[in-house]
C-alpha cells in the first residue's frame, strides 16, 4: 500500500471552480484591451510546433514583424516571453563576457538592460538623465568614443516617464565607432514612427501587449546583418540556452538550412496607426490641461503617444486617486515605474483602446477623482 496520500478538499475545489476575469478598461501603460477577433483566436485548436501549418503561421508572423519594424532583415522572429525576454536575448547573443556595453538610462528600461549586461559579465558604462530627460547625439558620440562599446542601448519609448526618444542619426554614430545599436520599442511600436532599416538600428524589439494589441507573452525582435555577424562569430556560447539564436534562427527558418496573428492592428497601415495615436494623444493632452493638470514631458515632440505621463497634482495622494478610479470607474491608470515612482500618473491609450471615446472616459474618471479625493492640507 502506498504511503503517499493526495491532498484534496480546498485545493481540489479551487481547481474545479470556473475561471472568472472581470472586465476592466486597461488604460495603463500595458497590457491593453484586445479586440474580440484576437480573443477568439485564442480558442482555436492547438497544433504541433513542427507541423507544416505552424511553419506557415510563423512565416506570416515574420512578414508582419518585418512590416511593423520597417525592415528587410531575414533574422526576424517572435520570442516566447515578455519584452524582457527579447531584451535578454539581444544582450546575451551579442555581448561576450568582458566586452564593453554603453547604456542610456533615463528611466527604468535602461536600468534593467544595465543589470542584465552586468550579470552576464559585460563591462557596463552608463549615460544618465533623470526621468523625462533625453540625450543629444553629441553626448552619445562622446560616450561612444570614450568607452568603445560593442553595443549601445537606447529606449525609444521610455514608458516609465512617457518620453519618446529621438533616434535619427544615432545608428550612424554607432557604426562610426564599430558599435551596434539596440533599441527598445515595447511601448512605442505602432504608436510612434520608427523605421529600423532607414534609421540604421541593428537590433530592435517590442512587446505584444501594447499597441500591437495581443495578449502578453510574445516579443518580436529583429537583427541586422551587422548584428548577425557579431552574434554568429562569438568565441563563447551565449549564457542562455533557451535564448541562443543559433537554435531559434533555425526553428524560424532564418539560417538558410532546410526546414525545420499578432499584428492585425496594423492592417490599416503604419502611417495611419502613428497619426491615429498622435491625434488621440493630443485630444487627451488638451483635456488634461483643461483640468488644470501638468503634463510631465513639457516638449510635445518628445511625448510618447501611447503612454501619457501627468505630474502628480499637488496635495493629492496618487495611490488614492488610482484606487478611486479603479473602484468607481473600473479603469486602470498607473503610477510611475522605477525612478519615476511618486513623480507621475500614467494613462495608456494604445491599439484597440486608442480612440477619443476612451480618452473622454479617462478624463471624466480623472475629473471625478480630483473632486472626490481629499486634498491634503499641507
Amino acid at each position: 500500500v502506498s504511503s503517499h496520500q493526495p491532498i484534496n478538499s480546498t485545493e481540489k475545489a479551487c481547481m474545479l471552480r470556473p475561471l472568472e476575469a472581470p472586465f476592466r478598461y486597461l488604460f495603463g501603460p500595458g497590457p491593453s484591451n484586445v479586440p474580440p477577433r484576437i480573443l477568439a483566436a485564442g480558442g482555436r485548436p492547438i497544433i504541433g510546433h513542427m507541423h507544416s501549418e505552424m511553419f506557415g503561421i510563423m512565416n506570416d508572423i515574420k512578414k508582419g514583424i518585418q512590416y511593423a519594424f520597417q525592415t528587410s532583415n531575414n533574422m526576424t522572429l517572435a520570442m516566447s516571453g515578455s519584452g524582457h525576454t527579447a531584451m535578454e536575448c539581444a544582450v546575451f547573443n551579442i555581448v561576450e563576457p568582458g566586452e564593453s556595453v554603453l547604456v542610456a538610462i533615463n528611466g527604468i528600461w535602461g536600468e534593467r538592460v544595465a543589470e542584465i549586461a552586468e550579470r552576464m559579465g559585460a563591462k557596463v558604462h552608463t549615460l544618465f538623465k533623470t526621468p523625462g530627460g533625453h540625450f543629444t547625439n553629441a553626448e552619445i558620440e562622446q560616450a561612444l568614443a570614450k568607452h568603445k562599446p560593442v553595443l549601445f542601448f537606447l529606449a525609444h519609448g521610455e514608458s516609465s516617464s512617457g518620453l519618446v526618444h529621438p533616434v535619427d542619426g544615432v545608428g550612424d554614430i554607432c557604426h562610426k565607432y564599430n558599435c551596434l545599436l539596440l533599441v527598445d520599442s515595447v511601448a512605442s511600436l505602432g504608436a510612434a514612427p520608427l523605421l529600423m532599416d532607414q534609421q540604421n538600428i541593428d537590433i530592435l524589439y517590442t512587446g505584444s501587449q501594447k499597441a500591437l494589441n495581443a495578449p502578453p507573452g510574445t516579443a518580436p525582435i529583429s537583427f541586422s546583418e551587422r548584428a548577425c555577424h557579431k552574434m554568429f562569430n562569438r568565441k563563447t556560447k551565449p549564457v542562455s540556452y533557451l535564448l541562443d539564436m543559433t537554435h531559434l534562427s533555425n526553428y524560424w527558418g532564418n539560417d538558410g538550412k532546410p526546414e525545420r496573428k499578432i499584428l492585425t492592428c496594423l492592417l490599416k497601415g503604419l502611417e495611419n496607426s502613428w497619426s491615429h495615436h498622435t491625434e488621440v494623444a493630443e485630444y487627451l493632452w488638451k483635456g488634461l490641461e483643461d483640468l488644470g493638470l501638468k503634463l510631465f514631458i513639457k516638449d510635445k515632440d518628445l511625448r510618447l503617444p501611447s503612454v501619457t505621463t501627468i505630474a502628480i497634482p499637488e496635495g493629492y495622494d496618487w495611490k488614492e486617486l488610482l484606487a478611486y478610479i479603479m473602484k468607481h470607474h473600473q479603469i486602470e491608470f498607473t503610477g510611475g515605474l522605477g525612478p519615476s515612482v511618486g513623480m507621475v500618473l500614467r494613462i495608456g491609450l494604445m491599439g484597440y483602446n486608442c480612440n477619443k471615446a476612451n480618452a473622454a472616459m479617462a478624463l471624466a474618471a480623472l475629473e471625478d477623482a480630483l473632486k472626490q479625493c481629499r486634498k491634503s492640507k499641507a
Side-chain angles (χ1 to χ4, degrees):
V1 179
S2 173
S3 61
H4 301 294
Q5 296 297 319
I7 297 172
N8 41 36
S9 66
T10 55
E11 289 84 358
K12 183 179 178 181
C14 77
M15 292 190 293
L16 296 173
R17 194 163 53 238
L19 176 67
E20 292 183 14
F23 178 81
R24 294 203 171 108
Y25 296 99
L26 301 178
F27 294 174
S32 57
N33 298 99
V34 300
R37 174 182 175 183
I38 305 300
L39 288 175
R44 297 289 180 89
I46 299 294
I47 58 175
H49 69 291
M50 298 298 286
H51 291 185
S52 60
E53 295 88 352
M54 176 61 80
F55 292 141
I57 292 169
M58 292 166 69
N59 288 340
D60 288 345
I61 289 172
K62 175 178 172 178
K63 290 173 186 174
I65 297 170
Q66 287 173 324
Y67 170 69
F69 283 12
Q70 288 294 284
T71 183
S72 59
N73 291 338
N74 180 55
M75 198 59 66
T76 300
L77 63 152
M79 309 293 302
S80 298
S82 68
H84 282 92
T85 309
M87 185 187 283
E88 290 205 335
C89 177
V91 175
F92 288 170
N93 281 280
I94 294 296
V95 184
E96 298 197 61
E99 290 184 327
S100 174
V101 172
L102 179 63
V103 180
I105 299 177
N106 60 341
I108 195 166
W109 305 118
E111 291 181 353
R112 298 267 171 93
V113 170
E115 181 169 344
I116 288 167
E118 188 178 301
R119 286 188 181 201
M120 56 77 56
K123 293 178 182 175
V124 180
H125 307 280
T126 60
L127 280 170
F128 181 80
K129 299 265 183 172
T130 55
H134 72 286
F135 306 91
T136 66
N137 285 7
E139 289 172 323
I140 293 169
E141 181 163 10
Q142 186 178 8
L144 289 170
K146 179 180 179 182
H147 300 298
K148 298 178 174 58
V150 298
L151 184 71
F152 172 57
F153 169 84
L154 186 66
H156 179 243
E158 181 44 81
S159 58
S160 66
S161 66
L163 180 117
V164 62
H165 202 289
V167 177
D168 284 347
V170 178
D172 294 331
I173 296 168
C174 285
H175 295 168
K176 177 180 174 183
Y177 292 91
N178 198 29
C179 172
L180 298 170
L181 174 59
L182 168 62
V183 172
D184 179 314
S185 69
V186 171
S188 58
L189 192 91
L194 193 62
L195 308 165
M196 184 174 188
D197 289 358
Q198 193 172 313
Q199 293 175 306
N200 285 321
I201 298 167
D202 291 294
I203 309 109
L204 179 64
Y205 65 86
T206 192
S208 56
Q209 76 277 22
K210 312 283 184 170
L212 291 185
N213 262 158
T218 308
I221 189 168
S222 183
F223 298 83
S224 69
E225 285 189 18
R226 188 187 292 255
C228 288
H229 185 266
K230 172 78 170 75
M231 184 162 59
F232 295 129
N233 287 280
R234 299 170 58 97
K235 298 181 181 68
T236 59
K237 290 183 178 180
V239 295
S240 170
Y241 180 89
L242 176 68
L243 304 179
D244 189 335
M245 281 297 299
T246 56
H247 307 311
L248 290 170
S249 63
N250 175 260
Y251 180 53
W252 279 82
N254 291 344
D255 61 358
K257 295 179 181 177
E259 285 291 350
R260 34 163 171 76
K261 300 212 182 208
I262 65 169
L263 302 164
T264 54
C265 75
L266 300 180
L267 287 174
K268 294 180 180 177
L270 268 175
E271 294 88 347
N272 289 332
S273 182
W274 296 335
S275 61
H276 178 63
H277 279 82
T278 299
E279 180 185 343
V280 173
E282 288 176 344
Y283 176 86
L284 177 66
W285 299 339
K286 183 181 185 303
L288 292 168
E289 289 172 336
D290 289 345
L291 289 176
L293 297 168
K294 294 179 181 176
L295 293 166
F296 184 69
I297 304 296
K298 293 179 175 58
D299 186 339
K300 183 178 171 183
D301 292 336
L302 294 176
R303 291 176 191 159
L304 184 57
S306 48
V307 181
T308 293
T309 43
I310 309 157
I312 295 171
E314 191 175 347
Y316 285 96
D317 180 338
W318 64 271
K319 292 180 182 177
E320 185 184 351
L321 288 170
L322 297 183
Y324 179 90
I325 291 167
M326 176 62 85
K327 181 179 179 180
H328 294 280
H329 296 271
Q330 291 74 52
I331 293 175
E332 177 193 55
F333 298 157
T334 68
L337 184 65
S340 68
V341 169
M343 300 171 71
V344 298
L345 299 175
R346 297 187 293 161
I347 299 177
L349 293 174
M350 56 193 93
Y352 184 61
N353 283 346
C354 184
N355 59 64
K356 289 183 180 179
N358 281 345
M361 189 192 308
L363 290 166
L366 195 50
E367 182 178 20
D368 181 36
L370 291 170
K371 288 177 181 174
Q372 299 300 327
C373 293
R374 190 178 304 172
K375 284 187 72 173
S376 67
K377 295 177 182 177

